[in-house]
């Protein structure tokens, strides 16, 4: 089964999506991670995307639609979980068209939501391993040794767009452009909304229940 996870920045799409993809044997296709890899590798798409990401704005639709199609196709039919795509109605329409063209279907669409206060706390405290990409949080899931990944010993860093001023832009962009996806998807078969404001394992249990239907 293929799945879409969407919701505001910091709601837990990346953390919970990785766990879910692992448990359900799906490829975790996180648009933000795909873009950050392109920026790091200085590809033409990455060079174009960087300025938008640094400002907390959406990267142009044509760029992300082409990247996600390439990534889905590279999976050769393996089930996938989309995290961070689509992010506006025109991307959702492009996804519908792309899926129809490749005879693919989405089985579940899960909207995760949490209060703004929680989102801010989660984003401001997030730390990521430079080597393996595993996520930590200064307060909620701190590493055993400060600045060092528990899994691989890599260096932990804070994302450039997790600065307070950029977070404010990202939340504004979310309300203007991504929140309308709720109306686009709410009547689709397989749509569920979950409360993602609780602690990690409780949110994961709700997500798993939503996926198992
Ligand atoms: P992206 O990387 O997708 O960022 P985002 O959507 O803003 O989401 P985040 O990664 O910030 O949050 P998350 O929901 O994954 O939360 P996480 O699990 O990490 O996109 C970055 C940028 O790329 C965008 O701003 C845009 O420029 C561009 N972009 C991406 N997709 C695009 C698209 N489709 N179109 C155009 N541009 C696009 O959790 C956050 C923290 O909270 C972690 O530390 C975690 O440990 C902690 N946490 C999570 N859940 C809990 C919990 N229940 N309790 C306590 N702590 C928790």
């Amino acid at each position: 089964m293929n799945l879409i996870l969407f919701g505001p920045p910091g709601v837990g799409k990346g953390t919970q999506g990785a766990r879910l993809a692992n448990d359900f044997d799906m490829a975790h296709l996180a648009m933000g991670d795909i873009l950050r890899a392109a920026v790091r590798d200085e590809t033409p798409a990455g060079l174009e995307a960087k300025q938008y990401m640094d400002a907390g704005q959406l990267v142009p639709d044509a760029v992300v639609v082409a990247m996600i199609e390439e990534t889905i196709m590279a999976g050769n039919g393996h089930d996938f979980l989309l995290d961070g795509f689509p992010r506006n109605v025109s991307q959702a329409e492009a996804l519908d068209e792309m899926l129809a063209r490749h005879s693919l279907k989405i089985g579940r669409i899960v909207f995760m939501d949490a209060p703004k206060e929680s989102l801010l706390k989660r984003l401001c405290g997030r730390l990521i391993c430079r080597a393996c990409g595993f996520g930590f949080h200064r307060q909620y899931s701190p590493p055993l040794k400060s600045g060092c990944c528990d899994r691989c010993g890599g260096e932990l860093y804070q994302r450039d767009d997790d600065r307070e001023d950029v977070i404010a832009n990202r939340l504004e962009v979310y309300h203007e452009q991504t929140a309308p996806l709720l109306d686009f998807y709410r009547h689709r078969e397989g749509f569920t909304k979950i409360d993602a404001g609780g602690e990690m394992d409780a949110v994961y249990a709700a997500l798993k229940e939503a996926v198992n239907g």
Side-chain angles (χ1 to χ4, degrees):
M1 164 169 52
N2 301 314
L3 195 142
I4 296 175
L5 269 193
F6 76 106
V11 77
K13 303 180 296 295
T15 313
Q16 305 285 4
R19 192 169 166 187
L20 196 70
N22 185 51
D23 287 355
F24 285 76
D25 189 26
M26 293 180 279
H28 179 204
L29 309 184
M31 194 68 236
D33 291 346
I34 296 168
L35 285 165
R36 279 183 288 278
V39 171
R40 189 190 56 229
D41 296 343
E42 298 186 346
T43 68
L47 292 174
E48 185 179 354
K50 187 174 181 338
Q51 56 185 309
Y52 296 97
M53 297 173 77
D54 285 348
Q57 301 294 329
L58 294 190
V59 175
D61 292 344
V63 175
V64 291
V65 169
M67 289 173 102
I68 204 74
E69 181 165 12
E70 192 185 325
T71 310
I72 290 174
M73 289 304 107
N76 286 322
H78 195 81
D79 288 349
F80 57 84
L81 180 164
L82 291 176
D83 153 7
F85 184 92
R87 228 169 171 107
N88 60 28
V89 170
S90 80
Q91 291 179 17
E93 289 168 346
L95 177 65
D96 281 348
E97 184 275 324
M98 179 200 310
L99 294 171
R101 202 160 17 89
H102 297 294
S103 304
L104 292 168
K105 284 199 174 0
I106 297 291
R108 292 277 184 277
I109 303 167
V110 184
F111 172 58
M112 303 172 70
D113 205 8
K116 188 177 172 190
E117 283 271 285
S118 309
L119 302 176
L120 290 173
K121 282 189 192 155
R122 290 180 190 178
L123 290 170
C124 290
R126 173 166 53 189
L127 295 169
I128 299 168
C129 174
R130 236 182 246 292
C132 71
F134 194 72
F136 296 86
H137 190 280
R138 284 197 179 92
Q139 189 185 344
Y140 306 128
S141 48
L144 295 171
K145 188 175 158 203
S146 172
C148 201
C149 177
D150 294 354
R151 293 200 161 183
C152 74
E155 181 201 2
L156 302 185
Y157 77 102
Q158 180 167 35
R159 264 169 51 175
D160 289 343
D161 61 352
D162 279 347
R163 290 196 334 254
E164 252 178 74
D165 55 329
V166 186
I167 291 173
N169 281 349
R170 287 163 61 200
L171 288 172
E172 208 176 298
V173 167
Y174 168 77
H175 286 294
E176 279 170 11
Q177 303 192 45
T178 310
L181 277 182
L182 197 50
D183 283 337
F184 186 88
Y185 281 134
R186 76 164 81 238
H187 299 298
R188 293 267 177 116
E189 201 183 333
F191 173 85
T192 324
K193 174 180 173 175
I194 65 162
D195 175 3
E199 59 91 31
M200 207 76 91
D201 285 345
V203 175
Y204 187 64
L207 187 56
K208 234 173 140 175
E209 197 181 319
V211 172
N212 283 324

